[in-house]
Amino acid sequence: MANKNIIAIDGPAGAGKGTLTKRLCDYYGFAGLDTGSLYRAITLCMIEKKHDMDNINLEFAINLTRELSDTHKILDYARNPQIRSQLTNKYVASVAKIPEIRAIMREYQISFGENPPALEDGRPAKGAIIEGRDIGTVICPNAPIKFFITASPETRASRRLKQYLDQGESASYQEVLASIIARDEADRTRATSPMKQADDAILIDTSLNNKEETFQFAKRIIDEKLKITLV
Ligand code: DC
């Protein structure tokens, strides 16, 4: 039977979706899917194949996405730290806005939600958490729980800057802030599946809460709405 324990988490870059998803997956024994990493994986693969990213060839991009998705190689690319490089950052929004690529990724994400893969230790997953921009609105509109995680652009820029510096890349706070604001705008205003809070999503602002408070808040809601037996 298709899995019904699906949690949709949406919100802008750097708001803390990944941290919350990981914590909830570990706690409840759910499988997590970071859908941004899928668009990043496709972008990285195109860059590695020396595709001209300023003039994306639609047919090439669609065929590659289909192949990466059918073979699940997309998950290997998604594990490559280079998906977070500044070069991938520069081009990922142009890849993510292509409707045909989003359609292939939609099937992939729905299938992940309905049949989440086993956990790393081999246990079957008790549910799925899918995080992105359009999960509560387009991918899983019937998910029983939806969160929209946000934080001020300044808070998110400081977090991203730290990530870059930890990776050994140089960047300035002003540049990172400008790029976050530009990416928010691109995500919010694009024609296909723009980033949007679903009407029934619960808003969490992580500039106001620390990681533990955010986790505890989400946990209270999940415990109320889903019946999950922890072992
Ligand atoms: O969350 P992230 O920064 O890793 O996302 C990378 C890019 O992919 C970003 O431009 C937004 C886009 N994205 C999207 O369009 N839809 C999603 N479900 C997830 C990410």
Side-chain angles (χ1 to χ4, degrees):
M1 210 175 65
N3 166 50
K4 295 268 185 292
N5 285 339
I6 298 180
I7 301 175
I9 302 190
D10 290 301
K17 302 187 296 289
T19 306
L20 178 63
T21 298
K22 177 151 190 346
R23 186 86 196 273
L24 292 174
C25 282
D26 288 348
Y27 183 80
Y28 289 107
F30 277 29
L33 180 64
D34 165 8
T35 61
S37 78
L38 302 179
Y39 295 106
R40 288 173 179 275
I42 300 163
T43 309
L44 175 63
C45 185
M46 290 170 78
I47 293 172
E48 281 189 356
K49 289 189 182 295
K50 309 252 181 295
H51 190 70
D52 178 0
M53 297 305 289
D54 291 310
N55 296 291
I56 294 177
N57 177 295
L58 192 56
E59 196 182 335
F60 172 84
I62 295 170
N63 288 339
L64 183 70
T65 303
R66 176 64 69 198
E67 186 201 326
L68 288 173
S69 161
D70 287 351
T71 58
H72 290 277
K73 274 193 205 145
I74 196 162
L75 292 181
D76 295 334
Y77 276 96
R79 279 186 215 106
N80 185 329
Q82 283 304 315
I83 63 166
R84 315 242 165 242
S85 72
Q86 290 186 59
L87 189 60
T88 315
N89 272 348
K90 180 172 171 201
Y91 291 112
V92 66
S94 358
V95 171
K97 75 175 183 199
I98 300 174
E100 292 86 346
I101 291 189
R102 297 199 76 85
I104 300 171
M105 285 300 98
R106 180 168 177 270
E107 283 171 34
Y108 192 88
Q109 293 163 48
I110 290 176
S111 151
F112 183 100
E114 289 180 348
N115 292 297
L119 306 179
E120 271 174 18
D121 59 11
R123 280 179 299 150
K126 291 186 178 160
I129 304 185
I130 308 184
E131 52 142 316
R133 302 290 190 287
D134 59 342
I135 312 306
T137 49
V138 175
I139 308 295
C140 303
N142 298 322
I145 299 185
K146 300 176 185 177
F147 293 115
F148 193 87
I149 314 288
T150 190
S152 68
E154 291 74 16
T155 305
R156 291 186 282 130
S158 307
R159 291 177 188 161
R160 248 313 120 89
L161 179 65
K162 183 170 179 310
Q163 247 175 30
Y164 285 143
L165 299 180
D166 289 350
Q167 281 169 201
E169 291 193 53
S170 64
S172 80
Y173 172 78
Q174 285 308 331
E175 271 168 9
V176 177
L177 179 61
S179 126
I180 288 216
I181 292 173
R183 228 143 56 86
D184 282 0
E185 185 61 13
D187 284 348
R188 242 194 319 258
T189 56
R190 70 164 173 238
T192 318
S193 304
M195 172 172 72
K196 190 172 170 289
Q197 182 179 346
D199 291 341
D200 52 350
I202 295 158
L203 180 70
I204 305 180
D205 186 334
T206 64
S207 346
L208 310 172
N209 304 296
N210 65 31
K211 290 176 190 170
E212 182 60 25
E213 288 164 337
T214 302
F215 168 71
Q216 291 298 338
F217 179 80
K219 180 179 169 303
R220 268 199 304 280
I221 291 163
I222 297 168
D223 288 344
E224 261 170 37
K225 292 206 179 182
L226 299 184
K227 297 273 164 285
I228 305 162
T229 329
L230 299 176
V231 282

